[in-house]
């Protein structure tokens, strides 16, 4: 059996292990930041972990007083003038901790006088981790798959944990505890939908839409489906889609919208319009008790008490399954994605 699908299915228990470890280490992590002085966070990574960096930067902006921005590691390494070193923390995210660009990004920052480095990784003994003053690690999320699945979602949880620590947001920790059980409930309710969406004859184009932390998740969902099934997939901030890309929508288009709470009415209006243009629309929502005047073709709902900014993470495993089953429908091997390897060394 494919290790990729096994690893996708293992996420509820892996999340439990990752959170248990974080809980046991959180005091030490918080103390390690005590010696650091910064008002700005530059979050960086490559590929999947750059998309994770985008979500993490938004989470830090929402839950802490820090100014947070995401940049690809290649830019931090090659264009260091794109951000001030002083008063900055660099948060580098890497499954392997060995990606050349990410290591060189941190080395550049330190060579320019930067002193504040934190790392989120699955390998706390990696070369990248050794450059950091603080390491948050998810060893339970080690995976054989080239494409990131449980490693990504586990490192995302650690990003939430970091926002909880740096923002002193105790409610976040309690809300994180609900996620593994909620993920199991979503898989039981909607686990059959990805195989429907995976039909390459029915859906030629797939778009993922989201705002805030959900935009990084939309980008990661796009990458999963692209890497595994070699499909035409794009990701946008939700309302941005009207400003041109919407011209591509037809009756062989699938659009997946990750809803926020604050922008939900405006996001819903975009999705309703796209369904009118012929797209099959998947609304990834919280349970709001049927408060919309139209019926999305697919309306997935988590229980209402799940924090809106943690809800998007719960939908990513469904999109990982979409990529997996779409690869199989196209006679591709999701365990061996085309042209890709688990780590890019330069
Ligand atoms: C970064 C990365 C992945 C990508 C592929 C190649 O690896 O670009 O994001 O999906 O697997 O490597 P890492 O720095 O997160 O280990």
């Amino acid at each position: 059996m494919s290790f990729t699908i096994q690893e996708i299915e293992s996420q509820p228990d892996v999340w439990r292990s990752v959170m248990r470890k974080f809980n046991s280490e959180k005091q030490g992590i918080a103390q390690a930041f005590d010696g650091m002085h910064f008002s700005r966070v530059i979050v960086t990574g490559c590929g999947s972990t750059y998309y994770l960096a985008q979500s993490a930067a938004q989470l830090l902006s929402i839950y802490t007083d820090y100014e947070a921005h995401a940049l690809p590691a290649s830019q931090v390494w090659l264009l260091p003038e794109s951000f001030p070193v002083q008063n900055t923390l660099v948060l580098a995210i890497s499954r392997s901790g060995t990606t050349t660009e990410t290591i060189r990004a941190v080395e550049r920052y330190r060579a320019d006088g930067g002193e504040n480095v934190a790392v989120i990784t699955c390998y706390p003994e990696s070369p990248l981790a050794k450059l950091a003053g603080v390491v948050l690690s998810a060893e339970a999320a080690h995976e054989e798959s080239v494409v990131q699945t449980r490693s990504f979602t586990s490192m995302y949880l650690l990003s939430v944990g970091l926002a909880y620590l740096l923002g002193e947001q105790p409610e976040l920790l309690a809300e994180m505890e609900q996620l593994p059980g909620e993920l199991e409930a979503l898989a039981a309710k909607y686990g059959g939908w990805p195989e429907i969406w995976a039909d390459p004859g029915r859906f030629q184009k797939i778009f993922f839409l989201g705002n805030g932390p959900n935009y990084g998740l939309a980008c990661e969902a796009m990458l999963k489906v692209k890497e595994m099934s070699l499909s035409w997939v794009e990701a946008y901030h939700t309302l941005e889609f009207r400003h041109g890309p919407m011209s591509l929508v037809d009756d062989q288009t699938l659009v997946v919208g990750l809803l926020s709470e604050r922008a939900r009415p405006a996001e819903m209006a975009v999705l309703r319009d796209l369904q009118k243009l012929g797209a099959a629309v998947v609304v990834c929502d919280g349970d709001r008790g049927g408060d919309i005047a139209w019926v999305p073709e697919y309306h997935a709902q988590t229980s209402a008490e799940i924090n809106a900014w943690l809800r998007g993470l719960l939908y990513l495993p469904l999109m990982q399954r979409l990529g997996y089953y779409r690869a199989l429908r196209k006679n591709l091997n999701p365990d061996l994605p085309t042209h890709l390897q688990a780590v890019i060394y330069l």
Side-chain angles (χ1 to χ4, degrees), residues 8 32 42 50 67 86 88 96 100 102 112 135 144 153 168 219 224 230 242 253 259 265 281 294 310:
I8 290 171
I42 296 294
Y50 169 54
E67 171 198 333
Q86 296 314 313
T88 292
S96 63
T100 303
T102 313
D112 290 349
V135 178
E144 288 184 68
T153 56
E168 296 175 0
C219 290
K224 281 305 81 87
L230 307 184
R242 284 201 183 100
T253 298
L259 294 193
V281 168
W294 62 290
L310 301 185

Side-chain angles (χ1 to χ4, degrees), residues 246-309:
M246 186 167 69
S247 57
L248 291 169
V249 170
D250 59 20
D251 60 5
Q252 292 184 304
T253 298
L254 179 73
V255 177
V256 179
L258 300 175
L259 294 193
S260 67
E261 203 60 50
R262 190 183 185 92
R264 185 173 179 273
E267 294 164 341
M268 271 293 195
V270 173
L271 298 171
R272 181 200 55 218
D273 292 351
L274 299 178
Q275 186 157 291
K276 285 177 185 168
L277 291 176
V281 168
V282 180
V283 173
C284 297
D285 202 358
D287 182 356
R288 300 283 299 264
D291 68 336
I292 57 176
W294 62 290
V295 180
E297 189 158 350
Y298 300 95
H299 192 181
Q301 298 175 308
T302 66
S303 49
E305 65 262 19
I306 297 292
N307 175 322
W309 289 129

Side-chain angles (χ1 to χ4, degrees), residues 46-49 94-97 99 146 148 223 227 341-344:
C46 296
S48 287
T49 38
S94 174
R95 168 177 67 177
S96 63
T99 297
V146 170
Q148 297 194 13
L223 186 64
E227 285 177 322
Q341 60 268 5
V343 185
I344 304 292

Side-chain angles (χ1 to χ4, degrees), residues 9-254:
E9 307 291 355
S10 73
Q11 288 176 100
D13 284 339
V14 168
W15 289 9
R16 291 185 177 100
S17 303
V18 168
M19 287 195 290
R20 264 197 304 276
K21 179 173 183 289
F22 172 77
N23 271 313
S24 70
E25 296 173 342
K26 63 181 185 286
Q27 296 308 331
I29 293 168
Q31 285 160 6
F33 278 104
D34 288 345
M36 294 186 182
H37 303 288
F38 56 91
S39 63
R40 171 188 316 104
V41 185
I42 296 294
V43 195
T44 195
C46 296
S48 287
T49 38
Y50 169 54
Y51 299 139
L52 175 42
Q54 290 181 300
S55 292
Q58 287 289 297
L59 289 166
L60 290 169
S61 297
I62 292 166
Y63 287 109
T64 77
D65 295 330
Y66 297 111
E67 171 198 333
H69 304 282
L71 288 171
S74 52
Q75 183 163 329
V76 175
W77 161 38
L78 296 168
L79 301 173
E81 61 273 22
S82 45
F83 69 93
V85 164
Q86 296 314 313
N87 218 13
T88 292
L89 166 74
V90 165
L91 171 61
I93 307 178
S94 174
R95 168 177 67 177
S96 63
T98 60
T99 297
T100 303
E101 291 151 80
T102 313
I103 290 174
R104 288 184 182 169
V106 171
E107 288 173 338
R108 173 78 266 163
Y109 163 74
R110 289 179 56 149
D112 290 349
E115 298 175 335
N116 306 317
V117 178
V119 161
I120 295 176
T121 183
C122 294
Y123 293 89
E125 301 308 319
S126 60
L128 179 69
K130 294 195 180 341
L131 296 172
V134 189
V135 178
L136 289 81
S137 58
E139 293 93 315
H142 286 179
E143 58 199 357
E144 288 184 68
S145 65
V146 170
V147 301
Q148 297 194 13
T149 58
R150 68 188 188 189
S151 64
F152 180 96
T153 56
S154 296
M155 291 190 288
Y156 191 103
L157 285 174
L158 292 178
S159 303
V160 176
L162 186 58
Y164 145 71
L165 288 176
L166 294 181
E168 296 175 0
Q169 301 276 351
E171 75 282 355
L172 266 181
L173 204 59
E175 290 168 339
M176 285 168 71
E177 298 298 334
Q178 299 175 37
L179 296 178
E182 189 65 27
L183 180 59
E184 286 164 338
L186 277 184
K189 279 165 67 176
Y190 307 117
W193 281 358
E195 289 186 72
I196 298 169
W197 304 333
D199 180 354
R202 167 86 174 79
F203 299 115
Q204 301 290 322
K205 289 170 262 183
I206 302 174
F207 299 99
F208 292 98
L209 307 179
N211 288 312
N214 289 340
Y215 174 66
L217 290 168
C219 290
E220 172 59 10
M222 170 270 293
L223 186 64
K224 281 305 81 87
V225 179
K226 191 174 284 186
E227 285 177 322
M228 285 195 266
S229 72
L230 307 184
S231 299
W232 177 344
V233 200
E234 297 178 1
Y236 294 94
H237 286 92
T238 309
L239 276 71
E240 275 296 297
F241 193 63
R242 284 201 183 100
H243 297 269
M246 186 167 69
S247 57
L248 291 169
V249 170
D250 59 20
D251 60 5
Q252 292 184 304
T253 298
L254 179 73

